[in-house]
Amino acid sequence: MSAEKSRLPHVPAHTRRTFLSLAGALGLGGALAACGGDSGGLDTGGGGSAGGTPTIRQWYHLYGEEGTEQAVKRYAAAYERATVDVQWTPGDYDSKLSSGLLSGNGPDVFEAQPKVDMIRSGQVVPLDDIVGPVRDDYTETDIASSSLDGQIWGVKIVDDCGFLYYRKSLLAAAGVQPPTTMDALIDASRALDRDGVKGLFIGNDAGVTPAFGGGALLNPVLWMAGTANLTAENTVGFTTPEAKDAFAKLRALAESGSLLLGAPTDWWDPSAFTQGLAAMQWCGLWAMPKIQETLGDDFGIVPWPALSDTVGAPSTFLGGWTSMVSAKAQDVELATDYTKWLWIDNTEAQEDFNLSYGFHIPPRKSLAARAQKLQEGVAAEALRIFNESAVAESPMWTPKMKSAFADAATAIVREGGDIDAELATAQQAVEAELARLSA
């Protein structure tokens, strides 16, 4: 999630694991992630390494959180059935992973966000056999993010989400309550825009342009209206009257003059909030330790508001990463067993991976429920919001669909474009992609 720009996602000086992970839900992860590529000097031949020991090639994107690389190599070294070579390299992870999976010289096990083209082209194998027995220990949102065509294609290894962070003292001074609807958010942002502090920071792009880690609200603008970019039946979901009303509200927020624009970093980095540039900021779970370190108890969190008291619901994105097995793995059974051993059976490693080097949620519900760092205060509230309000982006949502929708959102919110016309143009592009996928 994260955009992390260091660890999402699919980011800040904060964490690539985090921001890049976003993705999933935001589709930002690949833009800023790093790690993939050529064989990186790993053993790519035959069925094993020296002495006949089988070799598993495992790929990660570049996590920016100190200690993470050493940790995953430590986990890998403990697996007894094979030698696990961990590839950890900077660069365009999505492109390198795509090339590796096509060439056969790529990973046996890798992290990604499951997407329709990867699945339908047979690049990965289903993992129902290892996830099925513990399926109920994952949220339905996690399962949905990893499922397509009635099968589960990966094991969630990191969960991330976002919050509307707010300064308690500034809201109290302005007589403002944490907003739960869009009208309340617009009013709060205006009321808090004073004394050299802007009311709200949602990104230098007003939340709708994906380039350089933006586009943070491309999904929440629909979720708050009770819909999504694609419906459960894989039809366009962003042209409902409620979705159009949501875009009108987001444009009104952008035109209010109360948003912080031109910040040194973007929404995934909490610096604008911690430095007092804005009284509220949409940012990720990964930022919480830094915010707490800087502001102490002078902050709270809520999910993104609903459209109104009667339409939609508060929401947050489901970010993070999913472990998958290549259909071209040297030994698919062994690669699947390793995935099960590490990401399902080894709960100690899973908690360590999520909470010892950054701040994330272990996907297993039972593990998150007993993780000490998630039991009290704002961290416990974060876990509650995640469990109640996280929404997964459909694996059917392709880059072409996202690009068309983002163009429409940018034109509407930042350029005053006609809502009906812009969404109709995006609908045509998305329906053409859906037709391609169903051909």
Side-chain angles (χ1 to χ4, degrees):
M1 133 82 148
S2 270
E4 297 191 348
K5 267 181 179 178
S6 333
R7 191 187 191 173
L8 111 155
H10 15 278
V11 55
H14 71 96
T15 94
R16 259 186 198 113
R17 173 203 317 213
T18 323
F19 173 85
L20 297 179
S21 42
L22 293 183
L26 298 179
L28 299 174
L32 295 169
C35 175
D38 56 26
S39 64
L42 303 185
D43 175 16
T44 58
S49 56
T53 302
T55 297
I56 295 172
R57 301 167 298 189
Q58 184 178 24
W59 283 17
Y60 292 88
H61 79 285
L62 177 66
Y63 284 85
E65 296 162 350
E66 184 177 354
T68 308
E69 180 180 3
Q70 292 75 16
V72 297
K73 289 180 176 179
R74 185 174 67 251
Y75 309 152
Y79 185 62
E80 296 180 350
R81 289 190 60 191
T83 297
V84 181
D85 281 326
V86 174
Q87 178 165 331
W88 188 276
T89 58
D92 183 345
Y93 181 67
D94 283 355
S95 295
K96 293 179 178 181
L97 176 61
S98 179
S99 298
L101 292 174
L102 289 172
S103 70
N105 288 327
D108 300 313
V109 176
F110 61 95
E111 61 177 9
Q113 288 84 36
K115 292 296 181 182
V116 59
D117 286 318
M118 176 190 295
I119 294 168
R120 296 265 178 91
S121 63
Q123 294 180 351
V124 293
V125 300
L127 298 180
D128 301 77
D129 287 349
I130 64 173
V131 177
V134 293
R135 178 185 176 124
D136 290 344
D137 202 24
Y138 295 90
T139 66
E140 282 303 312
T141 307
D142 272 333
I143 294 297
S145 73
S146 304
S147 299
L148 186 69
D149 300 334
Q151 292 183 292
I152 300 172
W153 300 92
V155 181
K156 205 74 194 297
I157 65 176
V158 172
D159 274 333
D160 275 313
C161 61
F163 310 107
L164 187 62
Y165 288 89
Y166 62 88
R167 287 286 296 274
K168 293 179 180 179
S169 59
L170 295 180
L171 267 66
V176 171
Q177 295 296 316
T180 59
T181 67
M182 261 317 269
D183 282 341
L185 178 62
I186 294 170
D187 290 343
S189 186
R190 286 173 171 155
L192 293 164
D193 182 16
R194 61 184 195 173
D195 300 328
V197 179
K198 302 303 291 183
L200 173 64
F201 184 50
I202 54 177
N204 293 314
D205 64 332
V208 292
T209 307
F212 307 110
L217 297 181
L218 287 175
N219 281 322
V221 70
L222 300 176
W223 297 335
M224 73 179 182
T227 187
N229 43 40
L230 294 178
T231 69
E233 295 75 30
N234 290 324
T235 60
V236 169
F238 53 76
T239 57
T240 67
E242 294 81 8
K244 293 176 182 180
D245 190 18
F247 269 108
K249 297 290 186 184
L250 188 57
R251 180 162 64 191
L253 177 64
E255 293 175 347
S256 70
S258 63
L259 294 183
L260 172 65
L261 299 172
T265 55
D266 222 300
W267 72 274
W268 36 262
D269 188 335
S271 297
F273 185 63
T274 59
Q275 293 175 8
L277 303 182
M280 300 183 292
Q281 179 177 338
W282 179 248
C283 196
L285 171 65
W286 57 85
M288 189 175 290
K290 180 62 175 178
I291 292 173
Q292 203 153 28
E293 176 185 340
T294 306
L295 301 179
D297 294 330
D298 188 24
F299 77 96
I301 56 172
V302 291
W304 188 258
L307 183 58
S308 70
D309 289 329
T310 58
V311 178
S315 64
T316 185
F317 58 82
L318 174 75
W321 292 92
T322 299
S323 184
M324 306 175 74
V325 174
S326 170
K328 291 185 178 181
Q330 297 176 18
D331 185 331
V332 170
E333 182 278 329
L334 186 63
T336 302
D337 180 77
Y338 173 67
T339 300
K340 177 179 182 294
W341 171 85
L342 178 55
W343 298 122
I344 292 180
D345 298 337
N346 195 340
T347 56
E348 181 179 350
Q350 292 157 38
E351 181 172 355
D352 181 66
F353 187 65
N354 279 273
L355 291 166
S356 294
Y357 314 99
F359 197 62
H360 312 276
I361 296 174
R364 296 286 291 275
K365 290 189 293 186
S366 59
L367 183 55
R370 67 174 186 263
Q372 185 176 358
K373 292 183 179 180
L374 298 174
Q375 299 311 301
E376 297 179 351
V378 70
E381 178 66 4
L383 179 59
R384 184 193 67 78
I385 291 173
F386 172 80
N387 286 332
E388 295 180 1
S389 301
V391 184
E393 184 178 85
S394 171
M396 289 285 289
W397 190 244
T398 68
K400 284 186 178 180
M401 295 179 189
K402 178 187 172 183
S403 177
F405 180 64
D407 287 347
T410 298
I412 292 167
V413 175
R414 300 178 63 186
E415 300 166 9
D418 181 81
I419 294 176
D420 288 327
E422 296 296 344
L423 292 181
T425 298
Q427 180 178 8
Q428 291 180 340
V430 171
E431 288 179 341
E433 270 286 88
L434 289 171
R436 174 184 70 84
L437 294 171
S438 63

